[in-house]
């Protein structure tokens, strides 16, 4: 069920190009100095693929309501989810929106010095300047 994300209008920075990418459950709003839609789509696809493949190989990862053991074979994004879940004593999927926002943001950061990635209310932000 779609929920209107009213907070996405709070970034009013006029110098940034804003765009949205969607892939299955992921609905991401991005603001950057240039249109990085193609790169963002690739980054989102890669992040989701890593998580989805890990879930296939580790049944119960996606339904656990408690932290799971760290796995040295896990992709970086999954390892981050496991660490975040442990810190808050929740299941690892509680960290999925933030992990995807961070992964996409880090990928886009290679192309620009200013990027804001919002996914499910979780935000990755990189900027040298103040963003309004």
């Amino acid at each position: 069920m779609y929920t209107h994300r009213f907070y996405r209008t709070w970034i009013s920075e006029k110098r940034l190009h804003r765009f949205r990418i969607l892939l299955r459950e992921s609905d991401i709003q991005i603001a950057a100095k240039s249109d990085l839609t193609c790169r963002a789509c690739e980054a989102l696809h890669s992040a989701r693929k890593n998580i989805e493949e890990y879930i296939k190989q580790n049944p119960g990862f996606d339904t656990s309501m408690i932290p799971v053991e760290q796995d040295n074979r896990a992709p970086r994004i999954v390892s981050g989810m496991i660490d975040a879940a442990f810190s808050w004593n929740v299941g690892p999927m509680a960290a999925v929106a933030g992990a995807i926002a961070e992964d996409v943001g880090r990928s886009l950061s290679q192309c620009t010095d200013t990027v804001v990635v919002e996914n499910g209310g979780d935000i990755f932000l990189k900027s040298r300047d103040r963003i309004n």
Side-chain angles (χ1 to χ4, degrees):
M1 181 171 89
Y2 179 77
T3 301
H4 177 65
R5 292 166 172 86
F6 62 89
Y7 50 82
R8 287 184 169 176
T9 63
W10 291 353
I11 296 176
S12 60
E13 184 62 54
K14 303 291 186 234
R15 298 173 295 156
L16 299 180
H17 182 83
R18 293 169 60 158
F19 53 100
R20 181 178 170 203
I21 57 173
L22 302 150
L23 179 60
R24 291 187 292 284
E25 299 88 355
S26 298
D27 178 352
I28 300 178
Q29 177 80 29
I30 300 171
K33 284 190 174 178
S34 60
D35 184 355
L36 300 172
T37 303
C38 289
R39 175 119 185 186
C41 287
E42 291 169 0
L44 176 57
H45 184 268
S46 176
R48 287 189 58 102
K49 182 178 178 187
N50 282 328
I51 295 167
E52 290 166 3
E53 286 182 0
Y54 189 80
I55 289 169
K56 285 179 188 173
Q57 297 168 2
N58 297 274
F61 177 84
D62 58 334
T63 58
S64 178
M65 301 297 271
I66 59 173
V68 298
E69 291 290 321
Q70 189 55 264
D71 180 353
N72 62 4
R73 298 168 306 169
R76 180 178 44 90
I77 190 170
V78 170
S79 182
M81 290 169 61
I82 292 170
D83 286 344
F86 182 79
S87 296
W88 292 96
N89 198 34
V90 295
M93 292 303 285
V96 71
I100 289 175
E102 181 179 6
D103 207 65
V104 171
R106 289 191 185 280
S107 177
L108 298 180
S109 292
Q110 296 172 14
C111 304
T112 183
D113 62 357
T114 301
V115 64
V116 182
V117 179
E118 182 275 327
N119 182 29
D122 290 358
I123 297 173
F124 172 90
L125 170 85
K126 177 190 173 192
S127 180
R128 293 183 184 156
D129 303 317
R130 179 184 169 103
I131 295 180
N132 297 320

